[in-house]
Amino acid sequence: MTLDYIAIAILSSLSTASILLIATLGLAIVFGLMGVINLAHGEMIMFGAYAALLSTRLGVPFPLAVLLATGATALFGAVVEILIIRRLYGRMLDTMLATWGLSLALYQSAVLAFGSVTPGIGMPQMTVRIGQYGVSAYMVFLIFVAVSCVAGLFWLLTRTGYGIMARAAIADAETASAIGIESSRMNTVTFALGAGLAGFAGAILLPVFPATPSMGFALAIKAFLAVVVAGPLPLSGTVTAIGTLGTAGGITSSIWSTAAGDLFFFGTTILILRLWPNGISSLWRYKL
Amino acid sequence: MNSSVFTSRRLISPEQMLGSRWWWGPGLAVAALIGAASLFADPYLAYVASSWIIFGLLGLSLDLVWGRSGILSLGQTAFYGIGGYLGGIAAINLSELAGGTLVWSLPVGALAGALFAALVGGLIFYSRIGTLQATVLTYALTLVLWTAAVSFKITIGDAVVGGDNGLSDIPGFVSFTGEVMDPKGTFIVVLTVATVVLMLVQALLRTPFGTILSCIRMNPTKAELLGYDIRYYQLAVFSLSGAIAGLAGALYGSWSNYLSPSIFSPQEALLVPIYVLVGGRGTLIGPFVGAVVVGGLSFWLGGGVIGGQTTLIMGLGLIVLVLFLKRGILGTIMDVIATGQGSIRLNRTGGSVDDHASSLKIDLAQLRGLVGRRGANQPSLRSEGAVKRFGGVTPVKNISQSFSLGRVHCLIGPNGAGKSSFLRCCTGFYRLNSGSVFYGKEEITRWPMFKRARAGIGIKTQAAQVFDEFDVYTNLWIAAYRHHGNAAEAHIHSEQMLRMLGLMAKAGKPASELSHGEQQWLDIGMVLCTAPSVLLLDEPAAGMTGEETRHLSLLVRILAQEVVVVVVEHDMEFIRTLDAEVTVLHQGAVFAQGSIDDLRKDERILDIYLGRREHVRDL
Amino acid sequence: MFEICEATGGYRKTVIVRDVSLTVAEGEIVALLGRNGVGKTTLLKYAMGLTANFGGRVILGGASLAADRAKRAKAGLGYVPQGRFVFPRLTVVENIASAAVACGHNHRDAVKRILSEFPALQEKAHALAGTLSGGQQQLVALGRALATQPKLLILDEPTEGVQPSIIDELAGTLLRLNRQEGLSILVAEQDLDFCLSISQRAYIMDRGTVVKEATKDVLLADNHLLQNLLAV
């Protein structure tokens, strides 16, 4: 017990939180840089998961399949932005409804195409051992993935022309346009980025979450709540929100049940929103 | 409610659809048609059609909050499912006591839905969570219940809630005589319940409560500035919609005799906004039309062909509806008919389409009766060391200023001096970072906007704020109603105000069609209708003609005898006519005070206006 | 060089400026004067394509400008809005870089050039713009507009809420840009002294139209005019 157990418990809750973070980042980026809540985010994760699954079935090595899935979902996101999101500019609630429709259309398409259950690809059989306890190496690897994602996004949004312009456009679209920034182009790229991140999440989590048509709903509940709690800052807000909510929910679900964990997650969300109605990061002064 | 003159209008708002009654005809005809067809032709159709009416009722619950109150809830099926489960449990356990099953399940279902919605709504509205966030929360709630219901098992009396297995053996529609009703009887009962609920909702929305809800949808800030506690109204309508959804759920439980956790599924939830959008948002009867159309289509076309693809088609359908069919079936019909009627009217009146240019005829003789001092104590407004910061900018640096009865008070100063920001601190739109605000002897620093408005602080904001879709009369009436709490007195008050503003001929015109200057007057009229003791006017003369400005000056001077008036203005001629006590603000602080002529002699003030600094010129 | 022809513009259905024409010659600094609410800001927004256009044209370098906002910036109009509107969660450097990148210029060069132009910003280079004082934000907004490498700089109330020492720096910078790089400038102001310290010619607006065009000397001589059209 004692030290080993605590170490392994910390490691496993860190990896659980990392999974949630990986699944949330795309949604958070789209909300933070476009002000749009993409209710089809969960299904875009599923899209990525199936894309990766099909690629591996065709013999593509897993790492390459992850890249392929990311690219395919990003492309899909760009198409969705041009065909749907762009036409609803300034109508936030209608945007949500349209993405919701998309969410269920994608879900049902997956049911029709793949049936409701598909075999997983199995987790690499490696274990990290601490004393007498062990945890799957892939779960530990996911912690590294989550950290890399956050770091990579921070780099993309603070060091590249696209990132700086996208942040300028969400801060003040009118002024941004008056200095030459074309916000509609920024939005297409941002939405594609968010979709790509979702696709990446679906693919990289494939060994942990087998691809099923309804996987999106399961992953999306917590992602939606985390984004609302996080508020306008997509990185610092989301990391903090998931740190708090994920830990609270994780502990509850390990003591009682997954459903209890979800309910607790929901309850904590409401409590936090009572204190910060526009999310915990609404008053923070950070870049992201 | 009113008998104002209706002139031609181009766009029909939901409220106006409600007011005109013609569509009762087609609405009832559709219902009767289905009724007749099912009753006389096909018991199975009668059975299926009952469910369409139930879904229509569920759609109505969404239309009430979304179409009328501007809150998009994706959680209506949560209330629906909870009402269904609890209503079913009640029916299973209690029906044998009193025969009729619905007597138990319907009230329990409605109550459960209402309480649950009140809990969720209370958290959303009293925390003042944003609309987008509120929508996400309602959706997450549905998904959480969906996962929870799958594993939730409990036995209550004879009722067994079996997680994934759901709740079975819910008694069907049983009459008091103990007979189980046939599909036709079931249909008639469902149709009756739905009609009663629809009529009750329509009746409710015709009361001031409904008018206030519409105001909150159009402009929540203005509604609160008039003194309405918008949280209360939003919570009330959200709970009511929960009750209707719960009632529909209880009906559904009895109709199908079985409930499973899939009632909470997103596939179910998705259908609700589709019914509303197909039928026409805000029309209340639209969701029934939508449910019948969607149900009918899948009944006659569906079955084997699209069975597996229903969700796919619905999902894509929602996208198409949102993108293209903005007004729904009823809305589109209404628009067509309105255009027809409008053109006929125009022809009759000789084609005077637009009389924007006509100026107002302000009749100040009407004013005396309209303004009365409230209570015996002397009203006053005072700030002490008020500070408001935004990031690195501090629009209000340190303002200690007192306004009391007597001369008109004017606030002037160059752009960015903090005049509007200071007024916002007084109305509660901004919360101070430090310092305090007093109203009379009471400290109101922490009071929310509506409480300050009720106490007697009224403001006409810089840009005129009116309820666009309502006519001029209703705009004034809604303000007067908050003050009087009585429809008849509010009517008298607003008619008087209409006469004073000379807007009688335009009483039936939507406020959005007024000119800039007319909207300013309407806004001033609305504020006056709340009978304020302290009146804040932010650039009231902007957009007014010279004639109108003279009227305004007279109006302000008369008002100043009874109430504390604070005017922010740039028009110096206007200020001169007010014979006012002028306060000059500069960089968020009081710079100088006096009469306009004193200040004119003060070189320092010319300096801050003209930015005179000797050293600049030498560059 | 720059011309606004018979501009009629406003918001939604409301006309705020009516039939306004003005010109700025190559290398000239022109002031647009008038009290609050006479339509100066609306006219400048009209020039940038940010309001409804009910009539009229904007011409730069002989060519009529397209309605697209972003294209106007790229064509050579550099805009400093009233109230500055720096991007609060971008650093000073990022604010400048965003404009440079948007107009297709190298952002490193732009940042280097602007920071050497405004030494006061150097120590704040990596601070979030939202945390700066009003005057520093004004410099950021100006630097941002300069990063687009404009042919004409349009400034809306640059002295609003700015402490005197920075107003001096602003005036000095604008004059230097004008003299050394031949930058043309159109500046809307209430601050007469600031305007007169940099410009030779001014248009005076009242109630949505230009009511007078005057040279610096005429304005300085006519106290009555100042009192009536510009001040208390």
PDB file of all heavy atoms in Angstrom, chain C residues 99-128:
ATOM      1  N   ALA C  99      -1.173  42.598 -37.444  1.00  0.00           N
ATOM      2  CA  ALA C  99      -1.456  43.490 -38.569  1.00  0.00           C
ATOM      3  C   ALA C  99      -0.459  43.268 -39.703  1.00  0.00           C
ATOM      4  O   ALA C  99      -0.827  43.246 -40.879  1.00  0.00           O
ATOM      5  CB  ALA C  99      -1.427  44.930 -38.107  1.00  0.00           C
ATOM      6  N   ALA C 100       0.803  43.095 -39.339  1.00  0.00           N
ATOM      7  CA  ALA C 100       1.825  42.905 -40.372  1.00  0.00           C
ATOM      8  C   ALA C 100       1.545  41.635 -41.165  1.00  0.00           C
ATOM      9  O   ALA C 100       1.549  41.636 -42.401  1.00  0.00           O
ATOM     10  CB  ALA C 100       3.203  42.842 -39.730  1.00  0.00           C
ATOM     11  N   VAL C 101       1.276  40.543 -40.465  1.00  0.00           N
ATOM     12  CA  VAL C 101       1.022  39.271 -41.137  1.00  0.00           C
ATOM     13  C   VAL C 101      -0.216  39.377 -42.024  1.00  0.00           C
ATOM     14  O   VAL C 101      -0.229  38.901 -43.158  1.00  0.00           O
ATOM     15  CB  VAL C 101       0.832  38.145 -40.102  1.00  0.00           C
ATOM     16  CG1 VAL C 101       0.445  36.854 -40.789  1.00  0.00           C
ATOM     17  CG2 VAL C 101       2.115  37.947 -39.313  1.00  0.00           C
ATOM     18  N   ALA C 102      -1.258  40.035 -41.496  1.00  0.00           N
ATOM     19  CA  ALA C 102      -2.514  40.124 -42.249  1.00  0.00           C
ATOM     20  C   ALA C 102      -2.306  40.830 -43.586  1.00  0.00           C
ATOM     21  O   ALA C 102      -2.978  40.524 -44.558  1.00  0.00           O
ATOM     22  CB  ALA C 102      -3.573  40.853 -41.426  1.00  0.00           C
ATOM     23  N   CYS C 103      -1.389  41.785 -43.611  1.00  0.00           N
ATOM     24  CA  CYS C 103      -1.169  42.513 -44.855  1.00  0.00           C
ATOM     25  C   CYS C 103       0.023  41.971 -45.630  1.00  0.00           C
ATOM     26  O   CYS C 103       0.551  42.629 -46.538  1.00  0.00           O
ATOM     27  CB  CYS C 103      -1.011  43.998 -44.568  1.00  0.00           C
ATOM     28  SG  CYS C 103      -2.544  44.721 -44.010  1.00  0.00           S
ATOM     29  N   GLY C 104       0.488  40.806 -45.231  1.00  0.00           N
ATOM     30  CA  GLY C 104       1.515  40.137 -46.011  1.00  0.00           C
ATOM     31  C   GLY C 104       2.920  40.670 -45.820  1.00  0.00           C
ATOM     32  O   GLY C 104       3.777  40.515 -46.693  1.00  0.00           O
ATOM     33  N   HIS C 105       3.184  41.301 -44.680  1.00  0.00           N
ATOM     34  CA  HIS C 105       4.543  41.794 -44.427  1.00  0.00           C
ATOM     35  C   HIS C 105       5.247  40.895 -43.422  1.00  0.00           C
ATOM     36  O   HIS C 105       4.601  40.175 -42.675  1.00  0.00           O
ATOM     37  CB  HIS C 105       4.506  43.225 -43.893  1.00  0.00           C
ATOM     38  CG  HIS C 105       3.708  44.152 -44.752  1.00  0.00           C
ATOM     39  ND1 HIS C 105       3.998  44.363 -46.080  1.00  0.00           N
ATOM     40  CD2 HIS C 105       2.611  44.896 -44.476  1.00  0.00           C
ATOM     41  CE1 HIS C 105       3.128  45.204 -46.583  1.00  0.00           C
ATOM     42  NE2 HIS C 105       2.262  45.545 -45.638  1.00  0.00           N
ATOM     43  N   ASN C 106       6.552  40.988 -43.413  1.00  0.00           N
ATOM     44  CA  ASN C 106       7.329  40.199 -42.455  1.00  0.00           C
ATOM     45  C   ASN C 106       7.101  40.751 -41.045  1.00  0.00           C
ATOM     46  O   ASN C 106       7.319  41.931 -40.786  1.00  0.00           O
ATOM     47  CB  ASN C 106       8.813  40.283 -42.807  1.00  0.00           C
ATOM     48  CG  ASN C 106       9.650  39.443 -41.863  1.00  0.00           C
ATOM     49  OD1 ASN C 106       9.535  39.562 -40.645  1.00  0.00           O
ATOM     50  ND2 ASN C 106      10.477  38.588 -42.427  1.00  0.00           N
ATOM     51  N   HIS C 107       6.624  39.884 -40.132  1.00  0.00           N
ATOM     52  CA  HIS C 107       6.232  40.429 -38.836  1.00  0.00           C
ATOM     53  C   HIS C 107       7.418  40.757 -37.946  1.00  0.00           C
ATOM     54  O   HIS C 107       7.360  41.654 -37.127  1.00  0.00           O
ATOM     55  CB  HIS C 107       5.217  39.509 -38.144  1.00  0.00           C
ATOM     56  CG  HIS C 107       5.716  38.139 -37.842  1.00  0.00           C
ATOM     57  ND1 HIS C 107       6.272  37.821 -36.656  1.00  0.00           N
ATOM     58  CD2 HIS C 107       5.734  37.008 -38.592  1.00  0.00           C
ATOM     59  CE1 HIS C 107       6.611  36.548 -36.657  1.00  0.00           C
ATOM     60  NE2 HIS C 107       6.297  36.024 -37.825  1.00  0.00           N
ATOM     61  N   ARG C 108       8.543  40.048 -38.127  1.00  0.00           N
ATOM     62  CA  ARG C 108       9.703  40.359 -37.280  1.00  0.00           C
ATOM     63  C   ARG C 108      10.217  41.757 -37.584  1.00  0.00           C
ATOM     64  O   ARG C 108      10.482  42.553 -36.695  1.00  0.00           O
ATOM     65  CB  ARG C 108      10.805  39.329 -37.501  1.00  0.00           C
ATOM     66  CG  ARG C 108      10.470  38.039 -36.798  1.00  0.00           C
ATOM     67  CD  ARG C 108      11.659  37.161 -36.522  1.00  0.00           C
ATOM     68  NE  ARG C 108      11.152  35.919 -35.978  1.00  0.00           N
ATOM     69  CZ  ARG C 108      10.622  34.950 -36.717  1.00  0.00           C
ATOM     70  NH1 ARG C 108      10.547  35.077 -38.023  1.00  0.00           N
ATOM     71  NH2 ARG C 108      10.154  33.862 -36.156  1.00  0.00           N
ATOM     72  N   ASP C 109      10.330  42.052 -38.883  1.00  0.00           N
ATOM     73  CA  ASP C 109      10.796  43.382 -39.280  1.00  0.00           C
ATOM     74  C   ASP C 109       9.845  44.452 -38.753  1.00  0.00           C
ATOM     75  O   ASP C 109      10.275  45.485 -38.237  1.00  0.00           O
ATOM     76  CB  ASP C 109      10.861  43.498 -40.814  1.00  0.00           C
ATOM     77  CG  ASP C 109      11.929  42.584 -41.382  1.00  0.00           C
ATOM     78  OD1 ASP C 109      12.718  42.060 -40.566  1.00  0.00           O
ATOM     79  OD2 ASP C 109      11.970  42.403 -42.611  1.00  0.00           O
ATOM     80  N   ALA C 110       8.538  44.170 -38.898  1.00  0.00           N
ATOM     81  CA  ALA C 110       7.537  45.147 -38.473  1.00  0.00           C
ATOM     82  C   ALA C 110       7.673  45.441 -36.988  1.00  0.00           C
ATOM     83  O   ALA C 110       7.708  46.598 -36.561  1.00  0.00           O
ATOM     84  CB  ALA C 110       6.137  44.629 -38.793  1.00  0.00           C
ATOM     85  N   VAL C 111       7.794  44.375 -36.194  1.00  0.00           N
ATOM     86  CA  VAL C 111       7.882  44.553 -34.746  1.00  0.00           C
ATOM     87  C   VAL C 111       9.122  45.360 -34.386  1.00  0.00           C
ATOM     88  O   VAL C 111       9.079  46.295 -33.584  1.00  0.00           O
ATOM     89  CB  VAL C 111       7.896  43.182 -34.043  1.00  0.00           C
ATOM     90  CG1 VAL C 111       8.268  43.328 -32.579  1.00  0.00           C
ATOM     91  CG2 VAL C 111       6.536  42.497 -34.186  1.00  0.00           C
ATOM     92  N   LYS C 112      10.223  45.013 -35.032  1.00  0.00           N
ATOM     93  CA  LYS C 112      11.490  45.701 -34.755  1.00  0.00           C
ATOM     94  C   LYS C 112      11.366  47.195 -35.073  1.00  0.00           C
ATOM     95  O   LYS C 112      11.742  48.063 -34.279  1.00  0.00           O
ATOM     96  CB  LYS C 112      12.568  45.090 -35.641  1.00  0.00           C
ATOM     97  CG  LYS C 112      13.960  45.073 -35.040  1.00  0.00           C
ATOM     98  CD  LYS C 112      14.831  44.537 -36.132  1.00  0.00           C
ATOM     99  CE  LYS C 112      16.060  43.823 -35.736  1.00  0.00           C
ATOM    100  NZ  LYS C 112      16.695  43.247 -36.937  1.00  0.00           N
ATOM    101  N   ARG C 113      10.780  47.471 -36.242  1.00  0.00           N
ATOM    102  CA  ARG C 113      10.644  48.850 -36.691  1.00  0.00           C
ATOM    103  C   ARG C 113       9.737  49.643 -35.744  1.00  0.00           C
ATOM    104  O   ARG C 113      10.070  50.745 -35.313  1.00  0.00           O
ATOM    105  CB  ARG C 113      10.030  48.845 -38.100  1.00  0.00           C
ATOM    106  CG  ARG C 113       9.914  50.198 -38.751  1.00  0.00           C
ATOM    107  CD  ARG C 113       9.621  50.031 -40.241  1.00  0.00           C
ATOM    108  NE  ARG C 113       8.403  49.259 -40.488  1.00  0.00           N
ATOM    109  CZ  ARG C 113       7.186  49.802 -40.562  1.00  0.00           C
ATOM    110  NH1 ARG C 113       7.024  51.093 -40.412  1.00  0.00           N
ATOM    111  NH2 ARG C 113       6.134  49.047 -40.797  1.00  0.00           N
ATOM    112  N   ILE C 114       8.590  49.054 -35.382  1.00  0.00           N
ATOM    113  CA  ILE C 114       7.628  49.781 -34.559  1.00  0.00           C
ATOM    114  C   ILE C 114       8.187  50.003 -33.156  1.00  0.00           C
ATOM    115  O   ILE C 114       8.034  51.077 -32.571  1.00  0.00           O
ATOM    116  CB  ILE C 114       6.293  49.004 -34.470  1.00  0.00           C
ATOM    117  CG1 ILE C 114       5.731  48.716 -35.857  1.00  0.00           C
ATOM    118  CG2 ILE C 114       5.279  49.760 -33.618  1.00  0.00           C
ATOM    119  CD1 ILE C 114       5.321  49.899 -36.651  1.00  0.00           C
ATOM    120  N   LEU C 115       8.857  48.974 -32.610  1.00  0.00           N
ATOM    121  CA  LEU C 115       9.390  49.138 -31.258  1.00  0.00           C
ATOM    122  C   LEU C 115      10.492  50.194 -31.226  1.00  0.00           C
ATOM    123  O   LEU C 115      10.660  50.894 -30.225  1.00  0.00           O
ATOM    124  CB  LEU C 115       9.905  47.811 -30.713  1.00  0.00           C
ATOM    125  CG  LEU C 115       8.827  46.809 -30.296  1.00  0.00           C
ATOM    126  CD1 LEU C 115       9.452  45.592 -29.635  1.00  0.00           C
ATOM    127  CD2 LEU C 115       7.804  47.438 -29.374  1.00  0.00           C
ATOM    128  N   SER C 116      11.236  50.325 -32.318  1.00  0.00           N
ATOM    129  CA  SER C 116      12.262  51.368 -32.296  1.00  0.00           C
ATOM    130  C   SER C 116      11.597  52.745 -32.497  1.00  0.00           C
ATOM    131  O   SER C 116      12.103  53.754 -32.032  1.00  0.00           O
ATOM    132  CB  SER C 116      13.326  51.116 -33.368  1.00  0.00           C
ATOM    133  OG  SER C 116      12.746  51.198 -34.642  1.00  0.00           O
ATOM    134  N   GLU C 117      10.451  52.741 -33.153  1.00  0.00           N
ATOM    135  CA  GLU C 117       9.699  53.982 -33.305  1.00  0.00           C
ATOM    136  C   GLU C 117       9.123  54.439 -31.961  1.00  0.00           C
ATOM    137  O   GLU C 117       9.060  55.631 -31.669  1.00  0.00           O
ATOM    138  CB  GLU C 117       8.562  53.735 -34.306  1.00  0.00           C
ATOM    139  CG  GLU C 117       7.872  54.966 -34.832  1.00  0.00           C
ATOM    140  CD  GLU C 117       8.735  55.717 -35.831  1.00  0.00           C
ATOM    141  OE1 GLU C 117       9.026  55.184 -36.918  1.00  0.00           O
ATOM    142  OE2 GLU C 117       9.128  56.839 -35.493  1.00  0.00           O
ATOM    143  N   PHE C 118       8.663  53.482 -31.152  1.00  0.00           N
ATOM    144  CA  PHE C 118       8.053  53.793 -29.854  1.00  0.00           C
ATOM    145  C   PHE C 118       8.858  53.159 -28.728  1.00  0.00           C
ATOM    146  O   PHE C 118       8.500  52.077 -28.234  1.00  0.00           O
ATOM    147  CB  PHE C 118       6.617  53.284 -29.777  1.00  0.00           C
ATOM    148  CG  PHE C 118       5.729  53.805 -30.860  1.00  0.00           C
ATOM    149  CD1 PHE C 118       5.277  52.976 -31.864  1.00  0.00           C
ATOM    150  CD2 PHE C 118       5.325  55.140 -30.863  1.00  0.00           C
ATOM    151  CE1 PHE C 118       4.453  53.461 -32.866  1.00  0.00           C
ATOM    152  CE2 PHE C 118       4.509  55.626 -31.861  1.00  0.00           C
ATOM    153  CZ  PHE C 118       4.072  54.782 -32.870  1.00  0.00           C
ATOM    154  N   PRO C 119       9.921  53.809 -28.299  1.00  0.00           N
ATOM    155  CA  PRO C 119      10.761  53.226 -27.239  1.00  0.00           C
ATOM    156  C   PRO C 119       9.953  52.948 -25.964  1.00  0.00           C
ATOM    157  O   PRO C 119      10.269  52.025 -25.219  1.00  0.00           O
ATOM    158  CB  PRO C 119      11.812  54.306 -26.982  1.00  0.00           C
ATOM    159  CG  PRO C 119      11.738  55.224 -28.155  1.00  0.00           C
ATOM    160  CD  PRO C 119      10.381  55.123 -28.725  1.00  0.00           C
ATOM    161  N   ALA C 120       8.886  53.714 -25.759  1.00  0.00           N
ATOM    162  CA  ALA C 120       8.091  53.514 -24.545  1.00  0.00           C
ATOM    163  C   ALA C 120       7.480  52.120 -24.485  1.00  0.00           C
ATOM    164  O   ALA C 120       7.133  51.627 -23.411  1.00  0.00           O
ATOM    165  CB  ALA C 120       6.979  54.569 -24.475  1.00  0.00           C
ATOM    166  N   LEU C 121       7.334  51.473 -25.634  1.00  0.00           N
ATOM    167  CA  LEU C 121       6.709  50.151 -25.647  1.00  0.00           C
ATOM    168  C   LEU C 121       7.703  49.020 -25.428  1.00  0.00           C
ATOM    169  O   LEU C 121       7.311  47.882 -25.203  1.00  0.00           O
ATOM    170  CB  LEU C 121       5.987  49.924 -26.985  1.00  0.00           C
ATOM    171  CG  LEU C 121       4.750  50.778 -27.238  1.00  0.00           C
ATOM    172  CD1 LEU C 121       4.160  50.445 -28.593  1.00  0.00           C
ATOM    173  CD2 LEU C 121       3.708  50.558 -26.148  1.00  0.00           C
ATOM    174  N   GLN C 122       9.009  49.353 -25.513  1.00  0.00           N
ATOM    175  CA  GLN C 122       9.992  48.266 -25.503  1.00  0.00           C
ATOM    176  C   GLN C 122       9.947  47.434 -24.238  1.00  0.00           C
ATOM    177  O   GLN C 122       9.984  46.208 -24.295  1.00  0.00           O
ATOM    178  CB  GLN C 122      11.387  48.835 -25.741  1.00  0.00           C
ATOM    179  CG  GLN C 122      11.655  49.016 -27.220  1.00  0.00           C
ATOM    180  CD  GLN C 122      12.878  49.853 -27.487  1.00  0.00           C
ATOM    181  OE1 GLN C 122      13.629  50.180 -26.580  1.00  0.00           O
ATOM    182  NE2 GLN C 122      13.066  50.209 -28.746  1.00  0.00           N
ATOM    183  N   GLU C 123       9.837  48.121 -23.090  1.00  0.00           N
ATOM    184  CA  GLU C 123       9.854  47.332 -21.855  1.00  0.00           C
ATOM    185  C   GLU C 123       8.548  46.579 -21.650  1.00  0.00           C
ATOM    186  O   GLU C 123       8.470  45.641 -20.869  1.00  0.00           O
ATOM    187  CB  GLU C 123      10.155  48.218 -20.652  1.00  0.00           C
ATOM    188  CG  GLU C 123       9.138  49.303 -20.434  1.00  0.00           C
ATOM    189  CD  GLU C 123       9.554  50.226 -19.288  1.00  0.00           C
ATOM    190  OE1 GLU C 123       9.331  49.817 -18.154  1.00  0.00           O
ATOM    191  OE2 GLU C 123      10.110  51.309 -19.549  1.00  0.00           O
ATOM    192  N   LYS C 124       7.497  46.988 -22.383  1.00  0.00           N
ATOM    193  CA  LYS C 124       6.206  46.314 -22.246  1.00  0.00           C
ATOM    194  C   LYS C 124       5.970  45.340 -23.402  1.00  0.00           C
ATOM    195  O   LYS C 124       4.855  44.853 -23.594  1.00  0.00           O
ATOM    196  CB  LYS C 124       5.078  47.355 -22.252  1.00  0.00           C
ATOM    197  CG  LYS C 124       5.091  48.298 -21.072  1.00  0.00           C
ATOM    198  CD  LYS C 124       4.444  47.629 -19.884  1.00  0.00           C
ATOM    199  CE  LYS C 124       4.366  48.594 -18.716  1.00  0.00           C
ATOM    200  NZ  LYS C 124       3.807  47.942 -17.529  1.00  0.00           N
ATOM    201  N   ALA C 125       7.005  45.064 -24.189  1.00  0.00           N
ATOM    202  CA  ALA C 125       6.815  44.327 -25.438  1.00  0.00           C
ATOM    203  C   ALA C 125       6.056  43.016 -25.253  1.00  0.00           C
ATOM    204  O   ALA C 125       5.253  42.630 -26.092  1.00  0.00           O
ATOM    205  CB  ALA C 125       8.162  44.049 -26.086  1.00  0.00           C
ATOM    206  N   HIS C 126       6.270  42.339 -24.132  1.00  0.00           N
ATOM    207  CA  HIS C 126       5.639  41.038 -23.951  1.00  0.00           C
ATOM    208  C   HIS C 126       4.543  41.050 -22.894  1.00  0.00           C
ATOM    209  O   HIS C 126       4.129  40.011 -22.404  1.00  0.00           O
ATOM    210  CB  HIS C 126       6.696  39.975 -23.665  1.00  0.00           C
ATOM    211  CG  HIS C 126       7.629  39.789 -24.838  1.00  0.00           C
ATOM    212  ND1 HIS C 126       7.248  39.135 -25.982  1.00  0.00           N
ATOM    213  CD2 HIS C 126       8.891  40.234 -25.056  1.00  0.00           C
ATOM    214  CE1 HIS C 126       8.235  39.161 -26.861  1.00  0.00           C
ATOM    215  NE2 HIS C 126       9.247  39.830 -26.319  1.00  0.00           N
ATOM    216  N   ALA C 127       4.072  42.263 -22.579  1.00  0.00           N
ATOM    217  CA  ALA C 127       2.924  42.366 -21.672  1.00  0.00           C
ATOM    218  C   ALA C 127       1.642  42.299 -22.499  1.00  0.00           C
ATOM    219  O   ALA C 127       1.629  42.679 -23.666  1.00  0.00           O
ATOM    220  CB  ALA C 127       2.987  43.680 -20.909  1.00  0.00           C
ATOM    221  N   LEU C 128       0.554  41.792 -21.895  1.00  0.00           N
ATOM    222  CA  LEU C 128      -0.720  41.780 -22.604  1.00  0.00           C
ATOM    223  C   LEU C 128      -1.186  43.225 -22.799  1.00  0.00           C
ATOM    224  O   LEU C 128      -1.122  44.037 -21.874  1.00  0.00           O
ATOM    225  CB  LEU C 128      -1.774  41.012 -21.807  1.00  0.00           C
ATOM    226  CG  LEU C 128      -1.528  39.524 -21.624  1.00  0.00           C
ATOM    227  CD1 LEU C 128      -2.744  38.863 -20.982  1.00  0.00           C
ATOM    228  CD2 LEU C 128      -1.225  38.849 -22.952  1.00  0.00           C
TER     229      LEU C 128
END
